[in-house]
Amino acid sequence: MTQQSTSLLVGLLAGVSAALLLVSAGSPSSLSFILFAAAALPVLIAGLGWSNLASIVAVGCAMLIIGFATTPQAALVSAVTTLTPAAWIAHLSNLGRPAEEIGGPQGGVAWYPLSDIFINIAGCVCVGLVAVGLAMGYGPDFVEQLVDVFVDTLKHNNADYELSAGSLAEMKQFFLYALPTIQAAMWVLILLAGWYVASAIVRMSGRSKRPKDDLPSQLRMPRLGVFALAAGVAMSFVQGGVGLIGWTLIGAFGIGFIASGFAIAHHRTRGKPARGLLLWTAYLATVIFTVPLAFFLFLGLFDTARTLTVTGSGPNPKP
């Protein structure tokens, strides 16, 4: 079997797997979120371990299956939020150039920077969510209906639950801006985790072209991310769709800098006797109080970099 035929077959299998995961996630169950989050894995594995052709075929196959099984709209939403970003990330991960071109060792290969892959993940999430929001007509009316359903569900489970008109209005205003922010942040983390797991699977299979990246020392947002986050903050003060896009940017790039902050904490505590205690305390405090997120956000903001992985010489930070 030729390489092209193998890529086609792998792409078809990956597309079927991704489609089954996404269709199954549409059925209400306790596993829905896990299935939806795992849907990018088959496309990532096909692209990382085989070729761009395999990931492209996987995206097309999955869209066709989802379109027939559900609706064409669902297929498009899956494509812009999950399938296409996964194929793009896999493509970037396999890009490399001769290391000597950038002052590296003779005969080595410098791979596409992890920091640039990270900012591409954030950018893909923003584009996908904005496109879906525009298609769905996301806005005050949409959120009002959503909150009304949410409140009715609470009242159904607790007959004594009551909300004043002012509290209900505040809840709707909060959800209007919180939903795009939280969804963008979660989806960036999901795609990053999917890339990490898929890379590990492909390495174990022996098909990985790219060596293992050292996340603590390399997971950073480049300086361009600072401008994207600043633009989001500025846009958030504008009413309407511009403000909602701003909050989406804040969620996607803000969580990028927070993740960078945690990576910095992991890197700087290496070799320290109390490393485990410090890291567990940091994670626990973040989960309980959420306030430490601001610390890690600023830690990530003040340590922006573009780092390279060079085959044969390990992590090689470059400005």
Side-chain angles (χ1 to χ4, degrees):
M1 185 177 290
T2 64
Q3 183 177 354
Q4 187 174 12
S5 300
T6 304
S7 294
L8 287 171
L9 179 60
V10 169
L12 289 172
L13 292 173
V16 172
S17 301
L20 289 175
L21 287 168
L22 288 168
V23 171
S24 300
S27 304
S29 71
S30 57
L31 294 176
S32 294
F33 180 78
I34 297 175
L35 293 172
F36 199 73
L41 278 175
V43 180
L44 283 165
I45 291 171
L48 290 169
W50 278 265
S51 64
N52 288 334
L53 176 61
S55 59
I56 292 170
V57 171
V59 171
C61 177
M63 287 182 66
L64 284 174
I65 295 173
I66 295 168
F68 280 115
T70 55
T71 62
Q73 290 81 1
L76 287 173
V77 169
S78 300
V80 299
T81 59
T82 304
L83 302 173
T84 303
W88 177 245
I89 294 164
H91 164 69
L92 294 178
S93 299
N94 286 335
L95 292 179
R97 61 190 297 187
E100 56 264 28
E101 292 183 4
I102 56 171
Q106 188 76 22
V109 177
W111 298 91
Y112 194 78
L114 175 58
S115 53
D116 288 6
I117 293 175
F118 198 20
I119 200 171
N120 269 272
I121 291 174
C124 287
V125 167
C126 289
V127 171
L129 291 182
V130 169
V132 171
L134 290 172
M136 293 174 58
Y138 183 85
D141 294 338
F142 180 90
V143 173
E144 185 174 351
Q145 296 176 11
L146 187 66
V147 171
D148 287 340
V149 172
F150 178 67
V151 171
D152 289 341
T153 303
L154 291 176
K155 288 181 178 179
H156 179 73
N157 295 328
N158 183 6
D160 297 330
Y161 182 78
E162 284 294 338
L163 267 181
S164 65
S167 298
L168 185 60
E170 289 177 1
M171 180 183 288
K172 291 176 180 178
Q173 187 72 5
F174 170 77
F175 271 89
L176 177 64
Y177 298 109
L179 284 178
T181 308
I182 295 172
Q183 192 169 12
M186 289 182 61
W187 207 243
V188 167
L189 293 179
I190 286 170
L191 285 177
L192 177 64
W195 172 84
Y196 182 80
V197 172
S199 299
I201 292 172
V202 174
R203 277 197 306 273
M204 287 189 292
S205 71
R207 298 197 60 88
S208 179
K209 305 175 184 69
R210 183 187 182 99
K212 183 179 181 180
D213 295 275
D214 182 46
L215 264 64
S217 64
Q218 293 180 277
L219 187 63
R220 303 288 187 273
M221 268 284 182
R223 290 187 180 91
L224 182 60
V226 177
F227 296 107
L229 181 60
V233 172
M235 293 167 67
S236 68
F237 290 98
V238 182
Q239 296 295 321
V242 174
L244 294 174
I245 294 173
W247 284 103
T248 305
L249 288 169
I250 290 173
F253 288 92
I255 198 65
F257 284 106
I258 290 170
S260 298
F262 277 104
I264 292 167
H266 276 262
H267 181 58
R268 293 186 180 178
T269 55
R270 276 180 169 171
K272 299 293 191 296
R275 183 174 191 258
L277 177 62
L278 290 171
L279 292 177
W280 275 108
T281 301
Y283 281 108
L284 190 60
T286 301
V287 170
I288 296 174
F289 302 109
T290 69
V291 176
L293 288 177
F295 168 76
F296 290 104
L297 171 65
F298 284 106
L299 190 60
L301 281 169
F302 287 105
D303 191 357
T304 57
R306 295 178 71 234
T307 55
L308 294 178
T309 295
V310 180
T311 299
S313 63
N316 183 24
K318 295 282 182 182

